[in-house]
């Protein structure tokens, strides 16, 4: 059984990958302005890739895409509990970040306090923030659901990614039906609002509640991204 920190880190990565994690990374989040990051400066960031077929079809079958996103909560929860069990066993303190939060209105969006998975993921070197304001990974583009645990365990951390690799690409800008994406390249300290109007995206999808009984899942910005796309 893994005894020193480096063996423990290797064992954790191996166990997460064997249990469905598509990507795993470790990031130093101590520079993030957040109480939780001050206390737990190392992020364990992981993702489970989306089913490519469901994504390719989402403009025709939004319901299957919505169901797929919900179903992915199960492997993410399992991976979180693997992390919890191992860190507890090894005697390291940790906090986990909720997988998702249903944003019911723009007031809630404005006041949101949760630790952002995307921040953990760029710090862990898993990818960059695309023009679409999503984490874009070289392997799967933005088609990956994220999970995060923050810990005091002194795992070694990756070189962070601090700039995007979207270049001149404007596919997500053209695909967004609400004109919410501004065609701006991300750098680490840039505010989300410069990239993307989260309030418009949220409102327009909430408008579907009387029609389909829930928020629309849309997903067009992540469907068109050419990074990591299997053709
Ligand atoms: C609020 C929220 C929304 C809002 C705002 C979206 C947004 N882009 O921020 C609304 C309702 C619009 C929304 C929409 C969607 N969402 Co949403 N949402 C969240 C939630 C709950 C919180 C995000 C948050 O706190 N944002 C706060 C801002 C300030 O931070 P940020 O958005 O993460 O981005 C900035 C920082 O990360 C910063 N940054 C990056 N690295 C670093 C490093 C350092 C050191 C610092 C200081 C900063 C920094 O750069 C970014 C730009 O400024 C997360 C879950 C979570 N806890 O993370 C899911 C999440 C972001 N959503 C997700 C998804 C999939 C969606 C949708 C596709 C909807 C759907 N069908 O599920 C759309 C996509 C729209 C889009 N293009 O973004 C996924 C994204 C996965 C990915 N690959 O990126 C997440 C991570 C959920 C998950 N568990 O996977 N969502």
């Amino acid at each position: 059984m893994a005894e020193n920190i480096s063996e423990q880190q290797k064992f954790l990565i191996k166990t997460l990958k064997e249990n469905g994690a598509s990507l795993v990374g470790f990031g130093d989040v101590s520079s993030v302005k957040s109480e939780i990051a001050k206390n737990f400066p190392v992020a364990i960031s992981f993702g489970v890739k989306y089913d490519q077929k469901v994504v390719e079809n989402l403009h025709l079958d939004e319901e299957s895409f919505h169901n797929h996103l919900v179903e992915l909560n199960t492997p993410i929860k399992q991976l979180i509990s693997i992390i919890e069990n191992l860190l507890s066993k090894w005697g390291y303190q940790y906090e986990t970040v909720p997988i998702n939060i249903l944003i019911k209105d723009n007031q809630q969006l404005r006041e949101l306090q949760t630790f952002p998975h995307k921040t953990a993921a760029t710090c862990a070197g898993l990818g960059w923030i695309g023009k679409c304001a999503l984490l874009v990974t070289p392997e799967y583009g933005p088609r990956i659901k994220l999970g995060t645990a923050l810990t005091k365990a002194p795992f070694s951390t990756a070189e962070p990614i601090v700039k995007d690799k979207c270049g001149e690409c404007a596919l997500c800008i053209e695909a967004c039906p609400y004109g919410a994406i501004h065609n701006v390249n991300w750098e680490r300290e840039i505010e989300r609002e410069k990239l993307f109007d989260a309030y418009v995206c949220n409102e327009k999808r909430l408008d579907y509640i009387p029609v389909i009984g829930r928020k629309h899942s849309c997903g067009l910005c992540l469907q068109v991204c050419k990074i990591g796309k299997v053709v």
Side-chain angles (χ1 to χ4, degrees):
M1 188 57 193
E3 274 164 23
N4 67 41
I5 187 81
S6 123
E7 282 176 17
Q8 288 166 340
Q9 186 160 357
K10 279 191 206 136
F11 184 77
L12 184 53
I13 297 170
K14 182 172 160 279
T15 312
L16 292 174
K17 292 210 164 155
E18 283 170 358
N19 285 277
S22 312
L23 295 175
V24 181
F26 294 76
D28 176 357
V29 291
S30 58
S31 66
V32 180
K33 288 186 199 94
S34 135
E35 222 22 66
I36 184 174
K38 259 185 236 140
N39 293 326
F40 300 94
V42 173
I44 305 168
S45 171
F46 64 90
V48 178
K49 66 178 179 186
Y50 296 168
D51 181 319
Q52 290 269 357
K53 284 207 186 95
V54 174
V55 175
E56 260 152 47
N57 224 26
L58 64 79
H59 56 297
L60 303 172
D61 185 1
E62 180 272 341
E63 192 175 0
S64 294
F65 175 58
H66 171 79
N67 292 339
H68 181 55
L69 291 182
V70 175
E71 281 158 19
L72 285 179
N73 290 340
T74 306
I76 300 260
K77 278 185 200 151
Q78 279 163 357
L79 293 165
I80 282 286
S81 78
I82 288 172
I83 296 173
E84 289 178 321
N85 289 338
L86 286 174
L87 294 186
S88 303
K89 190 163 157 186
W90 294 331
Y92 300 121
Q93 286 178 279
Y94 63 85
E95 287 276 338
T96 60
V97 178
I99 305 173
N100 224 337
I101 295 170
L102 179 63
I103 313 283
K104 298 202 184 82
D105 54 39
N106 278 348
Q107 179 70 11
Q108 187 190 350
L109 184 56
R110 221 166 278 123
E111 292 167 0
L112 197 67
Q113 290 292 337
T114 189
F115 189 88
H117 293 298
K118 290 179 280 172
T119 299
T122 68
C123 291
L126 296 187
W128 61 89
I129 307 294
K131 289 181 178 175
C132 59
L134 292 171
L135 180 87
V136 178
T137 65
E139 296 86 350
Y140 311 108
R143 294 167 290 273
I144 185 157
K145 186 151 192 161
L146 299 171
T148 309
L150 300 165
T151 179
K152 291 184 199 271
F155 293 125
S156 67
T157 53
E159 190 63 37
I161 296 181
V162 296
K163 270 181 179 222
D164 81 350
K165 293 185 184 160
C166 294
E168 299 294 311
C169 181
L171 289 174
C172 60
I173 291 112
E174 289 152 17
C176 178
Y178 312 124
I181 307 174
H182 302 323
N183 205 354
V184 169
N185 289 97
W186 174 78
E187 286 180 20
R188 201 181 220 197
E189 301 300 334
I190 209 166
E191 285 166 24
R192 184 189 60 202
E193 279 54 43
K194 295 236 166 73
L195 300 177
F196 167 70
D197 192 333
Y199 299 97
V200 165
C201 170
N202 191 43
E203 257 171 17
K204 295 289 184 189
R205 295 191 297 119
L206 283 170
D207 283 349
Y208 279 81
I209 293 177
V211 187
I212 58 172
R214 58 167 170 77
K215 191 168 169 176
H216 194 272
S217 282
C218 191
L220 292 168
C221 56
L222 59 87
Q223 183 195 45
V224 295
C225 182
K226 63 184 181 196
I227 311 280
K229 201 165 193 170
V230 181
V231 271

